[in-house]
Amino acid sequence: MGRENQTWMSEFILLGLSSCWETQVSLFVLFLAMYLMTVLGNFLIILLIRLDSRLNTRMYFFLSILSLVDICYTNSTVPQMLIHFLSAQKSIPFYSCVLQLFISLAMGSTEFFLLGAMAYDRYVAVCHPLHYAVIMHGGLCLGLAAGCLVAGFVNSLMQTVIIFQLPLCRKVVNHFACEMLAVLTLTCVDISFNKVMVAISGFLVIMLPCFLVLFSYGRIVAAVLRIHSAQGRHKAFGTCASHLIVVSMCFGTAIFTYMRPMAGSSAEQEKMVALFYAVVAPMLNPLIYSLRNKEVMSAFRRVLGKRSDKG
């Protein structure tokens, strides 16, 4: 039954954010500007880390991976959303929907694991500074980054396969993209098992990295408070401030959305959270890490200086 329905369901209709033409044009301009800022900002972070040898550290290695994940995550949904703003027919083929859900869920899951790994990196840097280079060696950093990617893709693959094995009775998705909770509402069978899987996935992907972040920053705060000089405390907190802001934004909205009963969240709330992850957070990340980080700003000025000298 499920396979027959899936074969017949050759495409889905995405309702998007608004049915008003004027509003869609305004949203197109707004989100196009945000999309360009996101791609250019994250690409600039990656480029600076590659070009400036002073940024070839463990912390900036993880930051470059985060920027790459943000670029991939944004490109999995936003270009199609922009096209649909100016299109009369807001349809997406079945297999494109499957691929979109898989990639966006994989990148989102990877980002949570990556934020946990970055919190552990900051914990070692602040609490064990003398052994930092030994503990956070290159092999471990590569292993953590690869583990985050593998865990994110495995979680996404499991969720995608389970969801699209269900018989789908409706083709109209009340969303601007093929998002997990929105696609689940199209089924015509009991989805209690899927709700359990979403809860388990949410615990493993969101809560476990969140606990690691809380543990790491709890130890960091305790270590910083033992520093006698105000300048030393300020410097220690300064290395963590940008990451802590990003962590608060991402984990806060994710816990609010995915760790509640599915009946407790409306379609509009799900759209707003998806917009935050697809557009707002990836755009803010490079701004937060650059504006609050003197090393990144200094690297930017050095790279500009080199280019102007060559010119």
Side-chain angles (χ1 to χ4, degrees):
M1 180 180 176
R3 293 181 183 274
E4 292 174 0
N5 279 349
Q6 287 183 359
T7 304
W8 175 80
M9 202 75 67
S10 61
E11 66 177 16
F12 298 100
I13 305 298
L14 301 173
L15 292 183
L17 298 174
S18 174
S19 58
C20 174
W21 172 250
E22 290 78 9
T23 302
Q24 291 184 73
V25 172
S26 300
L27 290 174
F28 171 82
V29 174
L30 172 64
F31 288 120
L32 176 61
M34 297 175 72
Y35 170 71
L36 293 176
M37 287 180 62
T38 297
V39 174
L40 292 175
N42 282 286
F43 179 74
L44 181 60
I45 291 289
I46 296 172
L47 190 63
L48 286 175
I49 293 171
R50 290 277 297 177
L51 293 177
D52 196 298
S53 59
R54 299 182 192 183
L55 298 184
N56 291 336
T57 64
R58 279 74 168 168
M59 181 178 74
Y60 292 109
F61 166 75
F62 287 117
L63 179 56
S64 66
I65 301 296
L66 179 65
S67 292
L68 180 61
V69 168
D70 280 339
I71 290 173
C72 295
Y73 189 28
T74 298
N75 280 305
S76 70
T77 56
V78 176
Q80 176 208 260
M81 180 179 70
L82 292 173
I83 293 173
H84 281 183
F85 279 140
L86 304 180
S87 303
Q89 185 70 15
K90 297 173 172 45
S91 61
I92 180 172
F94 174 82
Y95 289 107
S96 296
C97 182
V98 174
L99 181 62
Q100 184 180 73
L101 189 147
F102 172 72
I103 295 297
S104 61
L105 191 56
M107 292 298 100
S109 302
T110 298
E111 181 153 344
F112 287 121
F113 290 123
L114 195 57
L115 290 173
M118 293 173 73
Y120 175 72
D121 171 74
R122 291 299 84 207
Y123 156 71
V124 177
V126 174
C127 298
H128 304 283
L130 298 179
H131 301 94
Y132 177 70
V134 176
I135 297 174
M136 297 300 296
H137 55 84
L140 178 61
C141 293
L142 286 173
L144 286 173
C148 292
L149 286 166
V150 170
F153 274 94
V154 168
N155 172 70
S156 179
L157 180 63
M158 290 176 57
Q159 292 290 341
T160 303
V161 169
I162 291 172
I163 289 172
F164 284 101
Q165 284 295 317
L166 296 171
L168 305 176
C169 299
R170 293 173 291 277
K171 63 187 299 184
V172 178
V173 184
N174 187 12
H175 212 281
F176 63 85
C178 289
E179 193 267 342
M180 179 174 62
L181 299 181
V183 174
L184 277 175
T185 63
L186 306 180
T187 61
C188 48
V189 296
D190 179 62
I191 56 172
S192 299
F193 173 74
N194 297 85
K195 292 180 180 179
V196 173
M197 291 303 296
V198 169
I200 294 174
S201 173
F203 178 79
L204 295 175
V205 174
I206 300 172
M207 296 310 298
L208 283 185
C210 185
F211 290 149
L212 177 58
V213 169
L214 292 175
F215 168 79
S216 298
Y217 277 99
R219 298 295 297 270
I220 288 172
V221 170
V224 169
L225 292 178
R226 289 196 295 268
I227 299 175
H228 297 294
S229 68
Q231 184 179 1
R233 287 195 297 268
H234 183 268
K235 182 179 179 181
F237 274 126
T239 63
C240 307
S242 300
H243 180 246
L244 194 55
I245 293 172
V246 173
V247 163
S248 300
M249 290 192 307
C250 292
F251 282 103
T253 50
I255 292 172
F256 176 78
T257 303
Y258 293 103
M259 299 311 295
R260 297 189 305 162
M262 288 181 63
S265 60
S266 67
E268 298 306 313
Q269 287 177 331
E270 292 169 13
K271 289 180 187 180
M272 292 303 103
V273 172
L275 272 177
F276 177 84
Y277 281 119
V279 183
V280 181
M283 180 189 70
L284 291 179
N285 284 355
L287 293 176
I288 292 170
Y289 279 108
S290 60
L291 294 177
R292 293 191 59 87
N293 194 310
K294 294 180 181 178
E295 291 179 334
V296 174
M297 295 303 294
S298 298
F300 182 65
R301 286 190 289 268
R302 284 194 295 271
V303 171
L304 283 181
K306 290 180 181 178
R307 293 293 177 268
S308 60
D309 290 342
K310 289 182 180 179

